[in-house]
């Protein structure tokens, strides 16, 4: 008999090319491989169907966007139903002409859409020109109910913000999930690379600790050229990982290689950890009003 407190999660860390059809076929193969190893929930990386197109601003890229429901939810919905798994997608959503979002979609085991989350925090940095493409999300921080639990799905840049993780946890999320596309820019020194990667892992492990929840982060891997030629492109640093509710690393994938991994999460640990470290009990909610301001000086 299955232990309902334990959940097998599949992580798909993939390198992409400009051939979207080939990327999707490889994703499908990797998802199948996860399911064959017992995964009940499979998480894909941010904008997994193609290249990370935000290295430059180009209006033709908007042609890649699709409605939700749409072609990708049909393709991956059919696969989720066939395999009997819950699947976390990350898509370039066309909501209306001239209105686009970076949207995570959760597919239920029967192939239907359980819910979606539109990325709230949108960066605009060299090689990450996301504000050109994406309108900030308007669905709030709402966990998505599924047959494997309430999933607090966020996306990439959201992973730096403790407020987003906290609100998901306060609304009953049982784990936090971050589809991601982050890497090193060509001019970064080796020391800077180590600092960036270390900060990225540390802040998300902090979300696990502060909220007493497991965290699942799936990043892409491999080098993608800058179409504009202004930089030498981005080397996505992989390092997908799963942390437990005390920040303990349950799995950490390669920096350089494509990889799938099945990680078993004990969801009952969150209850015990929150009893030992009752952060929610001791929060001074009467003194936190300033958090809704941009700055206080």
């Amino acid at each position: 008999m299955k232990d309902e407190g334990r959940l097998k999660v599949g992580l798909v860390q993939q390198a992409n090319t400009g051939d979207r059809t080939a990327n999707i076929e490889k994703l499908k193969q990797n998802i199948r491989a996860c399911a064959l190893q017992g995964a009940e929930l499979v998480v894909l990386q941010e904008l997994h169907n193609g290249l990370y197109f935000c290295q430059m601003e180009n209006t033709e890229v908007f042609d890649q966007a699709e409605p939700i429901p749409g072609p990708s939810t049909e393709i991956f919905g059919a696969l989720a139903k066939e395999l009997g798994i819950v699947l976390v997608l990350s898509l370039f959503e066309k909501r209306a002409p001239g209105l686009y979002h970076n949207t995570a979609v959760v597919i239920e085991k029967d192939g239907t859409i359980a819910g979606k989350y539109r990325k709230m925090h949108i960066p605009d940095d060299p090689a990450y020109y996301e504000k050109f493409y994406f309108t900030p999300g308007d669905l709030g921080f709402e966990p998505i109910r599924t047959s494997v639990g309430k999933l607090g799905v966020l996306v990439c840049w959201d992973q730096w913000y403790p407020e987003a993780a906290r609100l998901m946890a306060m609304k009953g999320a049982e784990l936090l999930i971050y589809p991601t596309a982050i890497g090193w820019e060509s001019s970064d020194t080796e020391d800077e690379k180590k600092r960036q990667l270390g900060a990225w892992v540390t802040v998300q492990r902090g979300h696990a600790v502060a909220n007493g929840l497991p965290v699942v982060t799936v990043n892409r891997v491999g080098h993608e050229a800058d179409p504009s030629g202004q930089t030498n492109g981005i080397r996505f640093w992989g390092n997908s990982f799963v942390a437990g509710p005390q920040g303990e690393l349950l799995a950490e994938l390669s920096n350089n290689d494509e990889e799938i991994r099945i990680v078993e999460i004990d969801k009952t640990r969150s209850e015990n950890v929150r009893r030992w470290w009752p952060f929610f009990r001791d929060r001074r909610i009467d003194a936190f009003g300033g958090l809704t301001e941009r700055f206080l000086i």
Side-chain angles (χ1 to χ4, degrees):
M1 182 179 294
K2 181 185 181 304
D3 183 347
E4 295 299 329
R6 307 189 78 85
L7 176 65
K8 288 186 176 180
V9 182
L11 286 65
V12 177
Q13 176 174 290
Q14 183 168 307
N16 280 2
T17 70
D19 186 337
R20 292 171 63 83
T21 300
N23 295 332
I24 290 171
E25 286 304 310
K26 184 162 63 171
L27 286 166
K28 291 167 67 176
Q29 292 173 14
N30 285 330
I31 293 165
R32 287 184 184 280
C34 287
L36 284 171
Q37 295 180 51
E40 304 154 87
L41 168 66
V42 177
V43 182
L44 306 182
Q45 64 209 31
E46 184 182 18
L47 300 172
H48 49 66
N49 284 351
L51 296 171
Y52 179 75
F53 50 78
C54 305
Q55 292 195 64
M56 63 177 293
E57 298 180 355
N58 179 358
T59 56
E60 293 181 3
V61 169
F62 288 108
D63 292 338
Q64 297 181 23
E66 60 182 283
I68 298 171
S72 288
T73 57
E74 290 182 10
I75 291 169
F76 290 107
L79 184 62
K81 182 177 181 179
E82 175 193 338
L83 300 174
I85 60 170
V86 175
L87 186 57
V88 179
L89 309 178
S90 176
L91 304 175
F92 186 15
E93 178 186 9
K94 181 178 182 179
R95 184 176 181 181
L99 183 61
Y100 305 85
H101 296 281
N102 186 330
T103 302
V105 183
V106 179
I107 305 293
E108 186 48 273
K109 291 180 179 180
D110 62 1
T112 62
I113 295 175
K116 63 184 179 183
Y117 166 81
R118 290 175 175 143
K119 185 174 181 177
M120 294 282 276
H121 300 94
I122 312 296
D124 187 47
D125 299 307
Y128 296 89
Y129 298 113
E130 294 198 14
K131 280 187 167 64
F132 181 79
Y133 296 103
F134 307 129
T135 299
D138 56 359
L139 299 177
F141 300 107
E142 296 288 342
I144 297 171
R145 291 182 179 272
T146 75
S147 57
V148 298
K150 293 179 71 175
L151 309 182
V153 182
L154 299 158
V155 179
C156 201
W157 195 233
D158 292 324
Q159 64 208 359
W160 299 94
Y161 295 86
E163 300 90 343
R166 177 71 87 201
L167 286 169
M168 283 291 192
M170 289 173 64
K171 292 188 176 182
E174 296 177 69
L175 66 160
L176 300 172
I177 297 174
Y178 295 96
T180 299
I182 190 170
W184 295 299
E185 200 273 326
S186 56
S187 62
D188 291 331
T189 65
E190 289 304 312
D191 285 345
E192 180 60 20
K193 289 178 181 179
K194 291 178 182 178
R195 286 191 291 266
Q196 289 178 11
L197 177 57
W200 179 76
V201 173
T202 299
V203 73
Q204 293 176 87
R205 292 176 70 185
H207 300 332
V209 174
N211 295 291
L213 290 178
V215 169
V216 177
T217 298
V218 180
N219 189 27
R220 68 173 62 209
V221 73
H223 178 263
E224 294 185 19
D226 177 356
S228 73
Q230 295 181 0
T231 73
N232 292 326
I234 299 174
R235 180 162 295 282
F236 293 96
W237 65 45
N239 210 98
S240 303
F241 70 92
V242 178
Q246 290 171 296
E248 69 275 25
L249 284 172
L250 304 178
E252 196 167 16
L253 278 60
S254 167
N255 284 137
N256 301 308
D257 300 322
E258 295 182 293
E259 191 173 351
I260 65 169
R261 183 79 61 88
I262 310 302
V263 184
E264 187 169 81
I265 292 174
D266 181 359
K267 295 195 294 179
T268 64
R269 274 187 52 76
S270 291
E271 174 70 25
N272 283 328
V273 168
R274 286 184 175 181
R275 292 175 180 178
W276 302 329
W277 293 345
F279 299 137
F280 282 83
R281 182 195 69 190
D282 295 338
R283 292 176 64 241
R284 286 295 307 275
I285 59 175
D286 56 314
F288 290 166
L291 290 176
T292 61
E293 303 297 328
R294 181 71 64 186
F295 204 63
L296 295 174
I297 297 176

